[in-house]
Amino acid sequence: SRLTITYCGDEDLFRAASLAADIKRARGIEAELIRGSGGVFEVVLDGASVFSKSESGRFPETDEILARIPAAP
């Protein structure tokens, strides 16, 4: 599985890294962190959107992301 977390700037790097660590611990999937711009915070698994801050208008909760990501085989 390919999981990416695109974040905006240094202020969101900690949030993205923390989420990536939680996903790794709970699901065994390593997330790639990608620096973006324009206030983005996107979580994408195998090309499909798991969470989009631009669509929801907020940051994700860890539990809701974990609920949308199956454990690695």
Side-chain angles (χ1 to χ4, degrees), residues 5-48:
I5 301 173
T6 304
Y7 64 95
C8 179
D10 294 336
E11 64 276 6
D12 293 338
L13 175 57
F14 177 78
R15 186 188 311 263
S18 177
L19 179 59
D22 289 340
I23 293 168
K24 172 79 172 165
R25 186 170 37 256
R27 298 290 181 262
I29 299 171
E30 190 81 45
E32 176 186 356
L33 301 182
I34 301 170
R35 186 182 180 113
S37 62
V40 300
F41 198 92
E42 313 288 323
V43 181
V44 176
L45 178 64
D46 294 330

